[in-house]
Amino acid sequence: MRTLNIGIIGLGCVGMGVVEILERNQTWIAQRCGCLLQIRKGVVRDLSKKRTLSFALSDCVEDILKDPKIDIVVELMGGVQDAFSVAQRALQNNKAFVTANKAMLAEYYHPLQRLAKKAIGFEASVGGGLPIVNALKEGLGANQILFLAGILNGTSNFILDQMELGAHFTQALQQAQALGYAEADPSLDLSGEDSAHKLSILATLAFHTQPTLNYLEGIECIESIDLQHARHLGYRIKLLASAWRCGQSLALVVRPTLIPQAHFLAQVDGVMNGMVIIGDCVGETFFYGAGAGGLASASAVVSDLMAVAKNPNPAPPLETLTYNYTDMPHAYYLRLDPLDLTSIVSILNTHAIQLDSYQVEHNQVICITKPTTQDRVQKVLHHFQQNHQNARALAIYESP
């Protein structure tokens, strides 16, 4: 049986997970992909840290990139520019390349694809253990993708769940950090940027384009009162990354969204991830599982290694399509300071927004609008805030 030699850059939680899986399931993996996957060398920042490993370690990436016996480079070092440089060098040296680096791929996927002489694997960059990337590349390949929406950040999902149970935002964040679900600096998770990176990768595959994000909003301004109101109305609030295609129009947004409680996405709890994909032939599909964690992400990395073993050739270049980026209409939840119905209707009508329902709860006015655009909602929020009135708006989920 032939052997493929692997060089792994970064032996943190995910990297050590890859080592564990390859050792634990070596025979099983070899039988399934037809060759022995063997780590030949690893690169780490700190060689003084004690590790029990069966392969050589270095603190220099050149020892992997210049080694002619290494067939596949696995990049798990993080960052963007250094990781991109490693990817370029690996591909230029005729090596296959596997990464879990969503931020780097969101920015440099297309240049790397044009450079590739061997396969690029990146299943672990989105959704951890969920096989979403492979689903878009292979399993749903016969479909034109019309819509996708996902809870792609376990940290923010955990925090919103804890706030539903009564915790304040700061308490929920501290609990996430104590449990290892949130970084010391959680800004990428809370701002929605982490989800935006993942959405960019998925949209590239689904719509064959270099995507542009229409709107980004994180969970930092979500208040417990909104979570309570949402529950009473039959919804749950989730940080949702969504993309719609309608003809030559495309919309990509990341924002907190009210999702009907009966929908699969509303039942994605804690640090789990969930994804809905709608294809023109298959209809609606749903993916659920661990979105992060050492073994979950490592499982996706190893699946890429096995795919390279079966077919080391690069994917054919995507024909890049051009879309008109548009502001898709949605119904919105509005929370306002006490104000009479006539005044609210008048203000909304001034901004071309129609009211669907209206109620008063806990001295707050809760409105549901008829479908309208994010731009109009932002303008009406600005109007209320200029008049020293508290106002909050959240989109309501609706699939095509």
Side-chain angles (χ1 to χ4, degrees):
M1 183 178 287
R2 67 192 174 101
T3 297
L4 281 180
N5 290 312
I6 299 162
I8 185 166
I9 302 172
L11 285 168
C13 186
V14 177
M16 291 304 294
V18 172
V19 174
E20 179 182 340
I21 292 172
L22 288 177
E23 291 179 350
R24 181 201 298 177
N25 295 334
Q26 184 181 65
T27 302
W28 175 254
I29 290 169
Q31 288 173 347
R32 297 196 74 177
C33 70
C35 74
L36 182 66
L37 298 177
Q38 176 178 284
I39 299 177
R40 174 178 170 83
K41 196 171 295 180
V43 167
V44 295
R45 289 190 179 93
D46 183 6
L47 286 172
S48 66
K49 184 176 179 179
K50 290 185 178 180
R51 301 175 180 88
T52 303
L53 298 168
S54 60
F55 51 88
L57 285 182
S58 167
D59 58 2
C60 178
V61 296
E62 298 297 324
D63 290 339
I64 283 178
L65 296 174
K66 291 184 176 180
D67 186 338
K69 293 184 178 180
I70 286 178
D71 304 293
I72 310 172
V73 174
V74 177
E75 181 274 306
L76 301 171
M77 60 193 286
V80 175
Q81 296 305 324
D82 287 347
F84 176 53
S85 176
V86 165
Q88 284 182 303
R89 294 279 307 286
L91 294 171
Q92 287 167 346
N93 290 347
N94 206 33
K95 302 180 188 299
F97 179 71
V98 172
T99 182
N101 194 324
K102 59 211 169 253
M104 186 270 287
L105 284 173
E107 187 168 350
Y108 292 115
Y109 174 80
H110 288 277
L112 290 178
Q113 187 198 48
R114 289 192 292 268
L115 186 64
K117 300 173 186 175
K118 292 286 181 71
I120 301 174
F122 51 96
E123 183 66 70
S125 66
V126 182
L130 278 70
I132 304 172
V133 169
N134 189 57
L136 287 171
K137 290 198 298 185
E138 303 291 343
L140 299 174
N143 290 256
Q144 293 187 54
I145 303 302
L146 306 176
F147 174 77
L148 57 86
I151 296 163
L152 299 176
N153 185 271
T155 301
S156 60
N157 201 51
F158 175 85
I159 289 171
L160 290 173
D161 280 3
Q162 295 306 303
M163 291 176 68
E164 275 188 332
L165 297 173
H168 295 298
F169 178 85
T170 303
Q171 292 173 320
L173 173 58
Q174 289 172 346
Q175 186 178 358
Q177 290 172 321
L179 292 169
Y181 299 153
E183 302 286 347
D185 177 5
S187 54
L188 286 176
D189 297 319
L190 305 183
S191 67
E193 288 184 61
D194 175 79
S195 296
H197 290 150
K198 296 169 182 175
L199 181 62
S200 176
I201 294 167
L202 297 178
T204 296
L205 297 175
F207 307 114
H208 293 200
T209 189
Q210 292 181 283
T212 299
L213 195 68
N214 293 64
Y215 183 76
L216 173 63
E217 179 184 342
I219 66 167
E220 303 99 321
C221 295
I222 294 293
E223 297 180 38
S224 296
I225 189 67
D226 295 310
L227 293 157
Q228 294 171 23
H229 286 317
R231 276 284 195 183
H232 293 156
L233 292 167
Y235 299 97
R236 297 185 73 190
I237 297 175
K238 300 288 186 180
L239 182 64
L240 199 67
S242 307
W244 300 260
R245 196 195 83 180
C246 184
Q248 289 305 113
S249 295
L250 189 64
L252 276 68
V253 299
V254 175
R255 60 192 173 192
T257 303
L258 274 72
I259 303 174
Q261 290 175 13
H263 195 278
F264 289 123
L265 286 171
Q267 298 168 50
V268 177
D269 291 324
V271 294
M272 304 302 278
N273 281 195
M275 188 90 203
V276 167
I277 303 176
I278 297 178
D280 66 336
C281 301
V282 73
E284 186 174 45
T285 60
F286 183 72
F287 300 80
Y288 171 85
L295 285 178
S297 296
S299 170
V301 171
V302 174
S303 76
D304 279 335
L305 294 172
M306 294 171 69
V308 170
K310 294 175 184 177
N311 181 12
N313 297 315
L318 292 174
E319 179 188 353
T320 303
L321 304 178
T322 302
Y323 294 91
N324 301 313
Y325 285 87
T326 188
D327 190 350
M328 296 284 191
H330 285 272
Y332 280 81
Y333 153 99
L334 297 177
R335 175 171 57 83
L336 309 170
D337 282 342
L339 197 63
D340 64 272
L341 179 58
T342 302
S343 298
I344 290 173
V345 171
S346 174
I347 293 167
L348 294 180
N349 286 346
T350 300
H351 293 86
I353 297 174
Q354 292 183 295
L355 187 64
D356 188 57
S357 67
Y358 163 99
Q359 57 184 284
V360 178
E361 287 190 26
H362 307 297
N363 204 33
Q364 300 254 285
V365 176
I366 307 301
C367 300
I368 303 296
T369 74
K370 292 185 178 178
T372 188
T373 63
Q374 182 81 46
D375 181 63
R376 289 174 181 170
V377 170
Q378 291 302 113
K379 287 176 179 175
V380 82
L381 288 180
H382 182 67
H383 171 92
F384 284 115
Q385 289 159 3
Q386 275 192 321
N387 288 278
H388 307 290
Q389 292 176 306
N390 291 317
R392 187 78 178 98
L394 296 168
I396 297 176
Y397 176 86
E398 182 181 358
S399 62

